[in-house]
Amino acid sequence: MQHSPPWPEPPAPPPPPLRLVVADDNPVVRAGLTALLSGREDTTVVAEAADGREAYEAALRHRPDVILLDVRMPRVDGISALPHLVRLAPVMMLTYSHETETVREALRLGAGGYLVHGEFTTEQLVRAVRDVSEGRPHVTPGAARALLTDLRGSASAHTEAQVPDTSGENWGRALSQLQSPVAESFRSRFRLSTREAEIMDLIASGMTNQQIAAACFISEKTVKNHINRIFAKLQTTTRSQAAAKWLGVV
């Protein structure tokens, strides 16, 4: 007969804080982010940088868990530095820029997330940092809207359909390359609400429920409820069927 020990086992120690490099040419933004993220148990800023070259040198020296990277910086900007930085650590764009081409290029070059200032709380920022460190893409609504605008423009401009990989692993690239001959007038026959159409676009891009929830800042349960209604309206039972019908390839 086994006896439990007379005292409880000590709790497991908390994981070490994520080590971050903050790269932004605005010293006020850098200082604010450093103060925000260094005053917590789960994150700490190990270095700051004012441009892409400084960010690369800091990443080489400190080997951070995540690099927070602005887009527009003097000398070496974020987009130019990105291909070099992603070899050293996951990169999350943290910027005021949400132009479609910029968002698309950042994701194409390997950014693990794209956050637009003013669209997240401190807790959402920390959650996004952790998501990116663990390989889960994360974008805020402004970046998602830019991609959706590009997606819908491509749908009207192209004449050959292509069903994207819906595994969720390459959703950023799929979203930028998606082609469809189906105009908005075709899709209107499904009678999806604006939110349902947005979520259906994200499904067609290959995003998982978790990624959609992060992009739209809603819960996964809410995403599932939307998807159930979408499937009913499209008369489909799987994501691939829904994507094919939404893109007009069946």
Side-chain angles (χ1 to χ4, degrees):
M1 180 176 179
Q2 291 184 336
H3 295 279
S4 59
W7 53 84
E9 293 189 13
L18 291 176
R19 303 169 66 257
L20 312 175
V21 166
V22 173
D24 196 298
D25 64 315
N26 188 327
V28 176
V29 173
R30 288 201 311 273
L33 287 170
T34 297
L36 188 69
L37 296 168
S38 288
R40 302 175 57 94
E41 294 183 355
D42 47 1
T43 57
T44 188
V45 176
V46 296
E48 298 179 19
D51 62 33
R53 179 174 291 279
E54 288 186 12
Y56 182 76
E57 292 171 351
L60 274 178
R61 186 162 54 252
H62 295 280
R63 296 293 174 169
D65 297 302
V66 179
I67 301 168
L68 307 184
L69 185 66
D70 189 20
V71 169
R72 293 192 177 93
M73 295 181 289
R75 295 180 293 276
V76 180
D77 62 61
I79 297 298
S80 299
L82 186 55
H84 307 282
L85 293 172
V86 295
R87 299 172 187 168
L88 303 177
V91 176
M92 183 171 72
M93 310 307 293
L94 187 59
T95 179
Y96 288 100
S97 305
H98 54 77
E99 293 83 359
T100 301
E101 184 60 34
T102 301
V103 178
R104 182 173 62 180
E105 186 68 2
L107 295 175
R108 186 185 71 81
L109 291 173
Y114 199 110
L115 272 64
V116 178
H117 284 295
E119 296 188 344
F120 52 84
T121 65
T122 300
E123 291 305 317
Q124 288 167 341
L125 171 60
V126 171
R127 184 182 72 184
V129 168
R130 188 161 296 281
D131 282 347
V132 169
S133 75
E134 296 173 356
R136 295 190 296 271
H138 201 117
V139 297
T140 50
R145 280 194 297 272
L147 291 171
L148 290 173
T149 298
D150 181 57
L151 174 66
R152 288 165 179 160
S154 297
S156 299
H158 292 279
T159 58
E160 292 185 4
Q162 175 180 328
V163 180
D165 174 10
T166 55
S167 66
E169 297 177 357
N170 297 312
W171 68 266
R173 185 174 295 107
L175 192 57
S176 70
Q177 296 177 343
L178 193 60
Q179 298 179 353
S180 170
V182 187
E184 292 298 319
S185 58
F186 172 83
R187 294 181 176 182
S188 66
R189 70 189 180 95
F190 297 121
R191 300 186 181 279
L192 300 191
S193 68
T194 301
R195 174 62 97 180
E196 289 167 351
E198 180 182 25
I199 289 175
M200 188 58 240
D201 277 331
L202 296 176
I203 291 171
S205 78
M207 289 179 73
T208 65
N209 288 1
Q210 185 179 55
Q211 292 162 353
I212 293 171
C216 299
F217 283 115
I218 57 178
S219 69
E220 286 190 60
K221 181 179 179 182
T222 301
V223 172
K224 291 176 182 177
N225 290 338
H226 281 303
I227 290 175
N228 287 337
R229 288 192 291 271
I230 290 168
F231 283 4
K233 291 180 179 180
L234 270 61
Q235 298 182 338
T236 57
T237 57
T238 68
R239 298 169 87 89
S240 58
Q241 289 173 357
K245 184 169 285 192
W246 185 242
L247 297 174
V249 297
V250 294

